[in-house]
Amino acid sequence: MKNLRIPMLCLCIVIVQLCVTAQESHPLAPKTDLNKPKIFNALPERIKVSVVALDALIEKQTGNTTSVETLTDNQEALRFEGSILFSVNDVQSKLKSIMLQLPSFGGARFTLTQLTHADGTKEYAGRILSFQHGDAYILEKHKDDYYLIKKNFYDLVNE
């Protein structure tokens, strides 16, 4: 009887060890889809946006329908039209931000922020982005002009 206890104990340990799944792999985030369709294929890599157009856009209020006039490098006019989803101003009006939904580009959203420095100069930051598509535009300043520069979605966003 004494001799059967040790083999039975070993057999139980082996059975328990085979049944236990201690550390299953469950990813925390969904897998990245690098094959998202591109929404801005027909548009150029670089689009010039005037400061006057940015100034006019940042003053719009929530619910308004508006458009932004731009120029391509070949001097072709482009228009981004949509409705203002929200607009926010801080108390001292040093920081203003709006979000424009663009139905003609699959509901992509154009976010624009204006920062007014103490000396009165204004600086802009913005992007046009859709989480369902693989490309986007980011607003960048080159010398004294602002340009929308085409980027890949995953250059801007980590999912």
Side-chain angles (χ1 to χ4, degrees):
M1 193 75 162
K2 206 173 194 182
N3 294 338
L4 288 177
R5 286 186 191 168
I6 294 175
M8 290 302 276
L9 182 61
C10 289
L11 181 63
C12 288
I13 291 173
V14 169
I15 289 172
V16 169
Q17 189 176 11
L18 290 173
C19 294
V20 174
T21 55
Q23 295 182 3
E24 291 182 13
S25 174
H26 295 289
L28 297 176
K31 200 170 193 178
T32 301
D33 180 13
L34 297 176
N35 296 319
K36 289 184 176 185
K38 303 220 184 258
I39 195 168
F40 301 117
N41 272 345
L43 298 179
E45 295 294 317
R46 208 170 89 132
I47 302 170
K48 184 177 181 181
V49 183
S50 73
V51 175
V52 174
L54 295 174
D55 281 336
L57 181 60
I58 203 74
E59 296 301 325
K60 301 292 182 180
Q61 297 299 316
T62 303
N64 289 347
T65 301
T66 189
S67 65
V68 180
E69 296 287 331
T70 62
L71 282 176
T72 65
D73 285 341
N74 336 8
Q75 301 302 314
E76 294 177 37
L78 285 175
R79 180 182 291 210
F80 293 101
E81 295 179 322
S83 59
I84 304 291
L85 296 177
F86 73 82
S87 61
V88 179
N89 298 331
D90 74 343
V91 177
Q92 291 116 5
S93 293
K94 291 184 179 182
L95 190 66
K96 297 179 181 180
S97 190
I98 60 121
M99 180 180 283
L100 175 68
Q101 186 169 15
L102 307 171
S104 58
F105 292 102
R109 301 202 173 165
F110 182 11
T111 57
L112 179 66
T113 302
Q114 177 193 62
L115 174 64
T116 305
H117 296 284
D119 63 358
T121 59
K122 296 176 182 177
E123 184 178 344
Y124 292 95
R127 64 185 185 178
I128 302 175
L129 184 69
S130 169
F131 284 96
Q132 288 76 36
H133 298 92
D135 55 351
Y137 276 103
I138 188 162
L139 187 67
E140 293 181 359
K141 185 175 183 177
H142 295 279
K143 297 186 181 175
D144 291 333
D145 298 320
Y146 283 92
Y147 292 90
L148 288 168
I149 309 294
K150 193 183 290 187
K151 302 278 186 179
N152 287 322
F153 177 80
Y154 289 107
D155 291 344
L156 302 176
V157 176
N158 289 330
E159 281 190 316

